[in-house]
């Protein structure tokens, strides 16, 4: 058995594709309900971006990543970097669901002395690869991790999730240029393309289109898909595992606040806290979706 095969963790997903899709769908729904409870109880958070990213994060943690929560520093583990570091609700719920720490610890979110800060901190929490929060930092770090793997001829893969507004940072394109130049086939970047950032749309603030053409110009393979379609995400990540000599960018078209009717596609829910009635409505909608 190879080292890669030993790293099962929660990525020991069902072999059948339909079962894989069902498993990720169930996990994503649980994550949405759990992260909303975290934000409601804490009285702060970023529900819009958490909810747009949930399906991508759930697919990675519960189907794709070679990880072992009992050995989070395993040298041959896959690496995931949350470059849009303010969306900790999605990350922490996935880490807890994957077994990196007890689910009950999610109830300490943003409380004094909690390990679950508003931005992830690798010093405090197992499973966090690097501290992120200030936008434009996580993707360059992930690029460095991929370069290290290339130099060492290691077989781990590097996945990074960025926000689309984050692509207005110059450091992102410096990393993109370097990754393309070095042919980092072990690097997969996912853009959470929900088209909204704090206060307005990306194209109103500082337009980033034509986005796919820009990545191609930097030497990347491009995949565009529905970022809430678990089957499409599984297929794209499976394809990314094949040997290649280019980094891959998956442009995941999503909706801010996905899964909750009054939050969906609303820039005002970039950050914010539902009141008691809104929270009850959100949970009811998610429970109904799970039952359908």
């Amino acid at each position: 058995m190879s080292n890669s095969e030993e790293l099962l963790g929660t990525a020991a997903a069902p072999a059948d594709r339909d079962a894989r899709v069902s498993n990720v769908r169930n996990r994503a729904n649980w994550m949405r309900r759990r992260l909303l409870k975290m934000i409601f109880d804490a009285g702060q958070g970023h529900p819009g971006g958490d909810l747009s990213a949930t399906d991508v994060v759930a697919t990675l943690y519960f189907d794709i990543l070679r990880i072992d929560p009992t050995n989070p520093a395993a040298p041959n583990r896959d690496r995931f970097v949350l470059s849009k570091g303010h969306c900790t609700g999605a990350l922490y719920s996935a880490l807890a669901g994957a077994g990196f720490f007890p689910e009950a610890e999610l109830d300490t979110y943003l409380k004094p002395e909690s390990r679950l800060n508003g931005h992830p901190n690798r010093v405090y929490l197992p499973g966090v690869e690097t501290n992120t929060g200030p936008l434009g930092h996580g993707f360059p770090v992930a690029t460095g991790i991929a370069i290290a793997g290339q130099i060492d001829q290691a077989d781990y893969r590097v996945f990074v999730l960025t926000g689309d507004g984050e692509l207005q940072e110059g450091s992102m394109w410096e990393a993109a240029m370097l990754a393309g130049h070095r042919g980092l086939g072990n690097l997969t970047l996912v853009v959470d393309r929900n088209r909204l950032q704090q206060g307005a749309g990306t194209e109103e603030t500082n337009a980033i289109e034509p986005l796919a053409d820009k990545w191609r110009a930097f030497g990347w393979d491009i995949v565009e898909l529905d970022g809430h379609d678990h089957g499409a995400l599984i297929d794209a990540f499976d394809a990314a595992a094949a040997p290649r000599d280019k980094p891959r960018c998956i442009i995941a078209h999503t909706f801010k606040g996905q899964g909750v009717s009054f939050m969906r596609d609303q820039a005002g829910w970039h950050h914010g806290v539902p009141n008691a009635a809104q929270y009850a409505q959100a949970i009811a909608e998610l429970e109904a979706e799970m039952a359908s």
Side-chain angles (χ1 to χ4, degrees), residues 180-191:
H181 170 72
R182 294 191 63 101
L184 295 180
N186 58 348
L187 177 63
T188 299
L189 176 140
V190 183
V191 178

Side-chain angles (χ1 to χ4, degrees), residues 34 38 92-93 96 100-111 113-117 124-126:
R34 200 62 182 83
M38 292 160 55
Y92 294 159
S93 58
F100 284 89
F101 57 85
E103 180 189 341
E105 191 171 350
L106 294 175
D107 294 332
T108 72
Y109 183 56
L110 299 179
K111 293 181 179 177
E113 300 185 11
S114 172
R115 298 193 296 173
L116 309 184
N117 296 338
Y124 299 146
L125 206 61

